Amino acid sequence: MPEVIIPISMFPDATDKEQIEMSTKCPPIKKLPKEGEQCRRLSALSDKFASEFFHGPQFFARAPGRVNLIGEHVDYCGYAVFPMAVEQDILMAVAKNTTEKLNICNIDECYPKYSCSINNFIINKDQPAWFNYVLCGVKGIKDEGDIDGPLTGLDIVVGGNIPPSSGLSSSSALVCATALAVAHSHCLSLSKENLAEICARCERHIGTQGGGMDQAISFLASPDTAKVIEFNPLQATSVTLPPGATFVVANCLAPMNKASNSNYNCRVMECRLAAQVMAKKAGLAWREYQKLGDLQKALGWTLPQMMALVSDTFEARPYTKEEICKLLDASSEELDQVTLTENTRHIQLFKLHDRALHVFSEAHRVWEFKKVCDQQGDTALLELGKLMQDSHRSTQLLYECSHPKLDTLVELSRGVSLGARLTGAGWGGCMVALVQDDDTEAYKKMLQERYFSQEPSAQGRDPSSILFSSRPGPGACIFVQ
Ligand code: ADP
Ligand code: NG1
């Protein structure tokens, strides 16, 4: 699809230089594609919009999903990650209305319609229905977009093709597309970084304590390059992947909705508790440490030194909440207040050694992965594959966030791919494998025959939606006529 970026005529007072700066700093405003799959999907959204609201959309917002190549469950500890945007995305047809109402519906009727006041709503954490993610995006701009006065009502139709709850970040794409749509309809020119940070914060209203990788890559992605994303300050660096290999994504088809249970937040808390116990042991003010990365900065140690510190501090067994209170010299009430979230206060056992060891070793692998890409040596692909394999083992055994079906896919890939690992939050969802270009079709055929043809939930599904090669795609944008 040709990427025609048009002038930001919404800002008629901006000088030419300011317009150019805005078009690189802010998500681009592009002409609607005239052909291809995206054109077809946008046109279906337009038709649905017209039948729902009896007028046409004024513009479209798009935000992509992502596949994380390495660096799992480290973003919320302050460590860099290595994702690329996928082609699959959330598209949204949007028009302002005159009623101060937010009216949202979905092209897929399994997602029910929803209406509320755009200025006064509650995000229901107990029941993470789809429209709550839209409400998160609206709330992000309402709270942090610097808008004078109330928001203008919006009519929205959503259509997405990112497999939900599969580790490809469909929820964040929905939040990001919404925030971008609300910002655009209120003539706000927010930078990609600002939008990414707003979206990372506002998605937490759904109840999960995510780290910010998904929202960052959704806005900061650029075609043909993966990105190393660092946090605080948010920064994305393009990395050229070595030639000769393809990333293949395969969905094991065990879904896991992060917001529907406390697995994800439990890991975030285990890392937080590990940071606090290690901070206390080092004589630091433990209450000030929420992230393992902040502890490392304060100590000024290397990642391998932090791994050694984990083994010196913790035994490789679960710790009771009571034991942790003793180590911190704190009451259970204080721990609930200072450290734990609403949906993790009931947990009585925490694995501190294994979780912290995963985080420091995985954070180290991200920089090793980048080093191999930068050096582009003869054995680069083999080295990347090995790092991916090690990463999978760590998420499976130390972080315990894999799933037997995911492990089966990774096992089947051994020897046929260069390396394979779970991607995203885990507990189901997708695997990403690094495969030599020439082997890609044979590899996909093998997975089709040995996994998907025997997997009941794969029957009747479009095979290209559950097993596909992925090239790094562009980030979020607005489409106009
Ligand atoms: P992911 O790893 O894909 O982000 P989550 O479980 O965090 O998975 O979020 C998935 C949720 O996002 C879905 O249950 C649904 O509520 C919402 N969602 C994803 N895609 C769509 C879509 N196309 N339309 C509406 N809601 C969607
Ligand atoms: P997905 O795969 O989108 O559920 C989640 C978090 C990320 C990151 C990964 C694990 C959110 C919105 N996303 O991703 O921040 O922690 O898990 O690496 O919480």
Side-chain angles (χ1 to χ4, degrees):
M1 185 226 320
E3 295 210 341
V4 185
I5 299 178
I6 61 164
I8 306 175
S9 48
M10 287 168 44
F11 304 104
D13 297 338
T15 63
D16 284 357
K17 185 165 169 275
E18 280 166 347
Q19 293 224 7
I20 290 167
E21 270 177 12
M22 272 191 254
S23 69
T24 53
K25 276 192 190 149
C26 305
I29 301 176
K30 300 178 185 178
K31 281 267 190 212
L32 277 172
K34 293 214 162 51
E35 55 193 24
E37 174 60 10
Q38 198 157 51
C39 171
R40 195 197 55 72
R41 287 174 58 219
L42 288 163
S43 149
L45 272 185
S46 255
D47 292 348
K48 172 84 178 170
F49 195 99
S51 71
E52 210 48 56
F53 299 115
F54 309 108
H55 58 95
Q58 290 165 335
F59 67 91
F60 299 83
R62 168 189 189 264
R66 59 99 189 97
V67 54
N68 190 23
L69 304 181
I70 198 155
E72 225 59 81
H73 287 279
V74 297
D75 57 348
Y76 49 78
C77 297
Y79 287 112
V81 290
F82 207 125
M84 64 189 197
V86 290
E87 210 177 276
Q88 290 88 332
D89 57 21
I90 294 282
L91 292 175
M92 200 171 257
V94 191
K96 289 193 207 181
N97 64 42
T98 49
T99 64
E100 265 201 53
K101 274 197 104 179
L102 173 66
N103 302 311
I104 38 182
C105 69
N106 201 298
I107 204 142
D108 181 343
E109 287 178 359
C110 80
Y111 298 111
K113 290 180 199 175
Y114 186 75
S115 285
C116 62
S117 154
I118 197 164
N119 288 299
N120 185 17
F121 54 78
I122 290 170
I123 299 173
N124 187 342
K125 286 187 196 167
D126 300 329
Q127 179 226 1
W130 79 281
F131 48 80
N132 284 305
Y133 296 94
V134 175
L135 297 180
C136 285
V138 174
K139 185 164 168 55
I141 299 302
K142 190 163 114 66
D143 292 351
E144 300 193 54
D146 211 7
I147 295 177
D148 287 336
L151 294 180
T152 308
L154 294 175
D155 297 335
I156 294 179
V157 178
V158 175
N161 61 2
I162 309 167
S165 301
S166 302
L168 300 182
S169 202
S170 67
S171 60
S172 302
L174 185 51
V175 173
C176 293
T178 308
L180 180 57
V182 177
H184 186 75
S185 55
H186 289 79
C187 295
L188 294 177
S189 56
L190 302 177
S191 73
K192 295 174 189 176
E193 284 83 358
N194 195 4
L195 280 162
E197 287 181 330
I198 290 175
C199 289
R201 283 190 286 272
C202 71
E203 190 167 343
R204 295 190 193 119
H205 293 302
I206 210 82
T208 46
Q209 298 294 310
M213 153 168 70
D214 307 346
Q215 302 83 357
I217 190 66
S218 197
F219 284 110
L220 296 167
S222 44
D224 300 325
T225 106
K227 299 270 180 181
V228 166
I229 307 242
E230 294 167 81
F231 301 95
N232 202 17
L234 180 61
Q235 193 182 322
T237 308
S238 297
V239 182
T240 307
L241 300 162
T246 300
F247 288 98
V248 175
V249 178
N251 190 340
C252 80
L253 297 173
M256 194 304 254
N257 180 271
K258 286 192 304 299
S260 65
N261 63 50
S262 58
N263 287 340
Y264 183 88
N265 279 358
C266 174
R267 294 295 178 276
V268 181
M269 295 308 121
E270 288 175 315
C271 293
R272 198 177 277 180
L273 287 167
Q276 293 178 334
V277 172
M278 287 194 282
K280 171 97 166 76
K281 191 175 173 226
L284 298 167
W286 67 267
R287 291 171 187 80
E288 288 167 20
Y289 291 86
Q290 300 275 315
K291 295 180 185 167
L292 288 164
D294 291 343
L295 174 69
Q296 188 201 355
K297 263 190 213 144
L299 295 175
W301 289 11
T302 63
L303 285 164
Q305 284 173 323
M306 294 307 288
M307 288 180 233
L309 180 64
V310 171
S311 304
D312 287 349
T313 310
F314 301 114
E315 291 171 41
R317 62 168 176 87
Y319 284 68
T320 64
K321 189 171 180 179
E322 208 183 324
E323 271 180 288
I324 294 170
C325 287
K326 275 207 188 106
L327 289 171
L328 291 174
D329 202 6
S331 66
S332 171
E333 290 70 35
E334 188 181 8
L335 209 61
D336 285 351
Q337 238 29 67
V338 175
T339 310
L340 302 175
T341 55
E342 224 171 285
N343 75 344
T344 52
R345 291 190 182 130
H346 66 283
I347 300 173
Q348 292 301 322
L349 282 178
F350 297 92
K351 293 194 175 177
L352 306 183
H353 174 278
D354 289 4
R355 309 309 188 219
L357 196 56
H358 163 76
V359 169
F360 292 130
S361 61
E362 183 75 356
H364 191 56
R365 279 187 285 273
V366 169
W367 293 113
E368 293 293 300
F369 202 88
K370 177 167 188 300
K371 202 181 342 164
V372 175
C373 291
D374 290 345
Q375 289 170 346
Q376 303 263 335
D378 293 346
T379 55
L381 293 179
L382 290 174
E383 290 173 57
L384 296 184
K386 162 120 186 18
L387 287 165
M388 290 174 71
Q389 212 64 42
D390 292 347
S391 166
H392 183 74
R393 200 164 310 113
S394 186
T395 48
Q396 179 192 18
L397 302 177
L398 294 176
Y399 223 65
E400 295 178 289
C401 64
S402 190
H403 184 283
K405 289 186 171 189
L406 258 177
D407 294 338
T408 303
L409 279 177
V410 171
E411 237 1 87
L412 287 170
S413 306
R414 201 180 281 277
V416 196
S417 72
L418 295 153
R421 56 181 295 278
L422 75 76
T423 185
W427 291 284
C430 288
M431 167 200 78
V432 57
L434 181 64
V435 187
Q436 298 266 15
D437 283 344
D438 293 345
D439 297 341
T440 309
E441 287 316 308
Y443 171 72
K444 287 200 217 165
K445 190 158 173 273
M446 179 280 292
L447 286 186
Q448 186 58 44
E449 284 169 8
R450 298 191 58 191
Y451 187 83
F452 293 108
S453 68
Q454 290 156 45
E455 168 57 43
S457 48
Q459 308 319 310
R461 288 181 68 149
D462 171 9
S464 67
S465 70
I466 48 183
L467 177 61
F468 54 90
S469 311
S470 197
R471 289 210 54 73
C477 70
I478 295 288
F479 285 119
V480 293
Q481 286 289 351

